[in-house]
Amino acid sequence: MNNRSELGRPTSGKRRLKDLLLQKDNRCCADCSAQDPKWASANVGVFICLKCCGVHRSLGTHISKVLSVTLDEWSDEDIDAMIEVGGNAAANAIYEAFIPDGFSKPGPDASHDDRMRFIRSKYELQEFLKPSLRILSMQPVKSSLQPSFSKKLMSSFRSSQSSKRSENSEGMVEFIGVLKVKVAKGTNLAVRDMLSSDPYVVLNLGQQTIQTSVVKSNLNPIWNEELLLSVPQRYGSVKLWFVLSCLVPPLQKVFDHDTFSADDIMGEAEIDIQPLITSAMAYGDPGMFGNMQIGKWLKSHDNALVEDSIINIIDGKVRQGMQLKLQNVECGELELEVEWMPLEQ
C-alpha cells in the first residue's frame, strides 16, 4: 500500500520543503522570474511557475521530475535532493553559468516558444553549463562539485542523448493546461467486504495516475478532495478513468481497499474532457465574463452521466459539475466538479 499523510496535514518533510520555498531566491521562478512559484523540478532542485512547469513536463522525467509543492506527495529522497541543492540561486549558478551574449532569459510574460527554447537549452542541451560538467552520451560524470551534491543535481541528465526521445514518448508531450478535479462524494456504493467497503478514487489521464484518500467502512463516502492532472495538447481522445485500487492491478477499474488481499472492483466511469476545454477556449479569459452557462455535456446511452453536465463560468473560473453512474457494477454514483486552468493563466 502507498504511504499517505492525512489530507491537508503536512509531514515534517513538507514543512522542510515549505521553509526552502520561503527563501528569498525561491520566491520567483528559476527560469522566468515569475512570482510565487508553486511547482518544482525535484531532481534538478529548482522552484518553477505553472507556465514553465508545462515545458519541464514536456522534457520527460529523465530530465525534470515535476511536482506540485502543495498538492503532490513528496518522497523523502525528493525533499532531501531539493534541500541539498539549496534552491534556485545555487542551481542557476551552475545551470546558467555560461549564458552567451545575446541570449537572454525569458520573462514572466514570455511566449511558450521562448520558454521552450531557453529551458531546453538550459537543462536538456546543457548549453550554459561549464563544459567539464556537461554529461554526454556514454561518458562518465566529471565534476568538481561534491559527489553527493553532483549526484542529486545532475541525476536528470544520465540518460544518453540518443535515447531521450525514443525511450520516453510521454516526455515529448506538450501540455496546454491543468485539470483540477474535485472528487466530492460517492453514493450507494457496492458492498465488497462483509457489510461495507473502504472506497477511494483513482484518476488516470495518459501516463498520470493520482488518487484520493481511503474512506473506511462507508458506502456513502465524502472526500471533497482536489486532484490535479496536466492536460496534453492532443487531448481529443483522452479520457479520465475512475479507479479504486492501491495495488498494481489494472488501472481502469474501481476497487475496494483490502488490507490482506487484492482490492475488489467497485465500478468505473469515463469522462470526456473535450466539451469543457472546447467551451473554455471559445470564451477566452473567463475573468471578463459574469457567471453564465457556456456549454454542456449531454447524457447519452454510451456515457456514465446521470443527467446533463453543465459547463459554467463561476467567479471567473470555468467549471463543470457532474453526477456519474459507476459502470460494470451493481450500484453506485460519484459526484465531482472539474475546473479548467489553461497555462496562460
Side-chain angles (χ1 to χ4, degrees):
M1 292 185 295
N2 295 331
N3 292 323
R4 293 187 296 268
S5 60
E6 187 175 338
L7 188 71
R9 185 173 298 172
T11 63
S12 57
K14 271 296 188 68
R15 284 194 292 270
R16 293 165 61 209
L17 184 66
K18 184 178 179 180
D19 290 342
L20 181 63
L21 180 60
L22 291 176
Q23 293 181 12
K24 183 177 179 180
D25 60 305
N26 298 326
R27 294 179 186 176
C28 59
C29 175
D31 297 327
C32 76
S33 300
Q35 296 295 311
D36 196 25
K38 289 295 189 295
W39 297 81
S41 174
N43 53 349
V44 174
V46 293
F47 293 99
I48 53 179
C49 69
L50 180 61
K51 292 182 180 180
C52 290
C53 158
V55 179
H56 274 256
R57 284 189 186 277
S58 73
L59 300 179
T61 56
H62 60 296
I63 292 178
S64 183
K65 180 181 179 181
V66 178
L67 293 171
S68 166
V69 174
T70 57
L71 295 170
D72 283 329
E73 289 296 328
W74 285 64
S75 68
D76 290 338
E77 182 181 3
D78 288 333
I79 294 174
D80 290 342
M82 291 289 297
I83 292 175
E84 188 167 1
V85 170
N88 293 355
N92 282 347
I94 297 173
Y95 284 103
E96 298 179 1
F98 292 90
I99 296 181
D101 294 338
F103 198 123
S104 58
K105 293 183 64 170
D109 298 323
S111 67
H112 178 79
D113 288 344
D114 287 343
R115 292 174 196 273
M116 175 67 78
R117 189 179 306 110
F118 177 80
I119 291 172
R120 283 197 63 199
S121 297
K122 181 177 177 180
Y123 301 108
E124 182 180 16
L125 304 177
Q126 309 166 46
E127 292 180 352
F128 312 142
L129 279 174
K130 183 179 179 181
S132 63
L133 295 181
R134 294 174 186 171
I135 303 172
L136 303 177
S137 177
M138 306 302 292
Q139 186 174 348
V141 178
K142 296 180 180 180
S143 174
S144 59
L145 301 174
Q146 293 296 323
S148 60
F149 181 84
S150 177
K151 180 179 179 181
K152 298 292 185 181
L153 187 59
M154 303 298 186
S155 62
S156 60
F157 300 128
R158 296 191 185 280
S159 298
S160 67
Q161 296 294 329
S162 62
S163 64
K164 282 178 181 177
R165 287 174 171 79
S166 60
E167 293 182 358
N168 196 327
S169 60
E170 179 68 16
M172 298 309 298
V173 175
E174 290 189 13
F175 293 91
I176 60 173
V178 175
L179 206 65
K180 180 190 293 184
V181 183
K182 180 179 180 180
V183 182
K185 65 179 181 179
T187 305
N188 192 30
L189 300 183
V191 175
R192 286 295 179 267
D193 293 333
M194 291 295 294
L195 298 174
S196 186
S197 297
D198 302 326
Y200 62 102
V201 178
V202 174
L203 309 182
N204 175 237
L205 174 58
Q207 300 299 314
Q208 305 165 80
T209 302
I210 52 179
Q211 69 184 59
T212 67
S213 58
V214 177
V215 178
K216 293 290 186 179
S217 301
N218 197 326
L219 299 180
N220 297 284
I222 297 176
W223 286 284
N224 284 329
E225 296 181 20
E226 291 184 345
L227 306 175
L228 291 184
L229 291 164
S230 296
V231 178
Q233 189 173 36
R234 298 182 179 179
Y235 62 85
S237 61
V238 176
K239 307 292 191 255
L240 293 177
W241 291 89
F242 284 87
V243 199
L244 296 180
S245 170
C246 71
L247 300 182
V248 187
L251 286 178
Q252 295 165 345
K253 303 292 180 184
V254 176
F255 291 83
D256 161 54
H257 171 72
D258 283 338
T259 304
F260 301 108
S261 63
D263 294 353
D264 301 314
I265 295 176
M266 293 182 69
E268 61 190 20
E270 185 180 7
I271 297 176
D272 186 354
I273 60 176
Q274 187 169 4
L276 173 70
I277 300 176
T278 301
S279 298
M281 289 183 171
Y283 276 80
D285 182 3
M288 298 176 61
F289 301 90
N291 294 352
M292 59 185 295
Q293 178 181 330
I294 62 172
K296 183 184 294 186
W297 181 28
L298 298 176
K299 174 187 175 182
S300 69
H301 68 279
D302 58 355
N303 64 40
L305 288 176
V306 175
E307 58 187 12
D308 292 347
S309 176
I310 307 302
I311 302 167
N312 294 305
I313 294 178
I314 301 175
D315 298 330
K317 307 290 184 181
V318 177
R319 294 173 177 168
Q320 178 181 8
M322 58 187 72
Q323 187 82 17
L324 301 171
K325 182 176 178 59
L326 294 176
Q327 308 294 297
N328 301 322
V329 69
E330 60 269 28
C331 61
E333 295 183 1
L334 197 63
E335 181 181 322
L336 58 113
E337 182 183 73
V338 180
E339 180 181 326
W340 169 245
M341 298 184 294
L343 288 184
E344 288 74 13
Q345 293 183 0

